[in-house]
C-alpha cells in the first residue's frame, strides 16, 4: 500500500483525469479530481465560477482544495491545469507526493472537447500560449515527466514505469537513511 500521493499536473486536455483513474484502480488508491471537488463544493461548474466570480475566486477555491488534498495519504490527485500558478498549491501538494507532469503537445490537444475549460473554450489556440507560460512551472514542480502521445497504452505504460521507479527510489532512500 502506498502512503505517498501521486499528483498529476499538466495542461487542460493532457490526460490527467483519464490516467489518474487508471492509476487509482491499478494501485487501489483513492482518486481525487480537484476540479470535480471544487465543482461539488461550489455547486456550480468551473465555467460558471469563472463567469460569475472570476479567475481569482476559482484560484482561491483551488488553493483551499490543494491544502485539503495535502492532508491525504495514498491518493491519486488529478489537478487543474493552472494549479502550478500558485506556489503554495504546489508546496502543499508536494509535501507527501510524487508529482508527475503529464506533458502533451498542444497540437495533440486541439480538437479535443475543451468546452468546459474556461481558459480555452471558444479559442483552443490559447493552449499554445498557456503551454509557453506554464511549461517552466510544470517542469519546476515535477518529480518526473511523462510524455502523453497518441498511443494511450504507451503513455499508460510510461506512467506506471515512472511510478514504479519513484516507489523504488523512495524505498532505497528510506533504507539508506536507516
Amino acid at each position: 500500500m502506498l502512503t505517498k500521493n501521486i499528483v498529476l499536473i499538466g495542461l487542460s486536455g493532457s490526460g490527467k483525469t483519464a490516467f489518474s483513474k487508471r492509476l487509482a484502480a491499478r494501485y487501489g488508491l483513492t482518486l481525487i479530481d480537484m476540479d470535480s471537488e471544487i465543482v461539488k463544493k461550489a455547486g456550480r461548474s468551473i465555467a460558471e465560477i469563472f463567469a460569475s466570480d472570476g479567475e481569482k475566486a476559482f484560484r482561491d477555491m483551488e488553493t483551499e482544495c490543494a491544502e485539503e488534498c495535502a492532508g491525504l495519504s495514498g491518493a491519486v490527485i488529478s489537478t487543474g491545469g493552472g494549479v502550478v500558478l500558485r506556489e503554495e498549491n504546489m508546496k502543499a501538494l508536494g509535501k507527501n507526493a510524487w508529482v508527475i507532469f503529464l506533458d502533451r503537445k498542444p497540437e495533440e490537444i486541439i480538437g479535443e472537447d475543451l468546452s468546459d475549460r474556461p481558459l480555452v473554450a471558444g479559442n483552443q489556440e490559447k493552449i499554445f500560449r498557456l503551454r509557453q507560460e506554464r511549461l517552466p512551472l510544470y517542469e519546476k514542480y515535477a518529480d518526473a515527466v511523462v510524455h502523453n502521445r497518441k498511443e494511450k497504452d504507451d503513455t499508460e505504460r510510461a506512467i506506471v514505469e515512472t511510478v514504479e521507479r519513484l516507489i523504488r527510489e523512495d524505498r532505497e532512500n528510506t533504507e539508506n537513511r536507516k
Side-chain angles (χ1 to χ4, degrees), residues 52-96:
S52 63
D53 303 335
E55 183 175 357
K56 183 189 179 312
F58 172 77
R59 297 290 171 212
D60 291 343
M61 292 178 202
E62 186 174 58
T63 296
E64 183 180 318
C65 187
E67 290 167 357
E68 291 170 5
C69 288
L72 300 173
S73 181
V76 177
I77 302 167
S78 176
T79 66
V83 73
V84 296
L85 297 173
R86 289 191 177 174
E87 185 175 10
E88 64 262 37
N89 294 346
M90 296 313 299
K91 280 185 178 179
L93 289 170
K95 281 181 189 172
N96 180 40

Side-chain angles (χ1 to χ4, degrees), residues 11 13-15 19 22 101-109 112 131 135 145-159:
L11 287 171
S14 65
F19 287 108
R22 292 178 181 149
F101 167 32
L102 192 52
D103 188 14
R104 189 170 183 205
K105 293 179 180 178
E107 51 271 19
E108 293 176 1
I109 295 172
E112 303 261 333
R131 178 182 165 80
L135 184 60
V145 178
V146 174
H147 299 281
N148 182 1
R149 299 301 178 249
K150 292 183 181 189
E151 289 300 319
K152 298 299 181 201
D153 291 341
D154 291 344
T155 301
E156 186 168 357
R157 187 172 25 261
I159 291 172

Side-chain angles (χ1 to χ4, degrees), residues 30-55:
T30 301
L31 172 63
I32 303 293
D33 182 296
M34 286 181 54
D35 284 350
S36 295
E37 293 298 313
I38 292 167
V39 166
K40 195 183 321 176
K41 192 177 265 188
R44 318 177 263 159
S45 71
I46 292 172
E48 291 170 328
I49 295 167
F50 266 75
S52 63
D53 303 335
E55 183 175 357

Side-chain angles (χ1 to χ4, degrees), residues 21 33 40 86 105-106 119 143 145 161 164 171:
K21 289 176 184 175
D33 182 296
K40 195 183 321 176
R86 289 191 177 174
K105 293 179 180 178
L119 292 179
D143 295 307
V145 178
E161 288 171 1
E164 295 295 331
R171 283 187 185 137

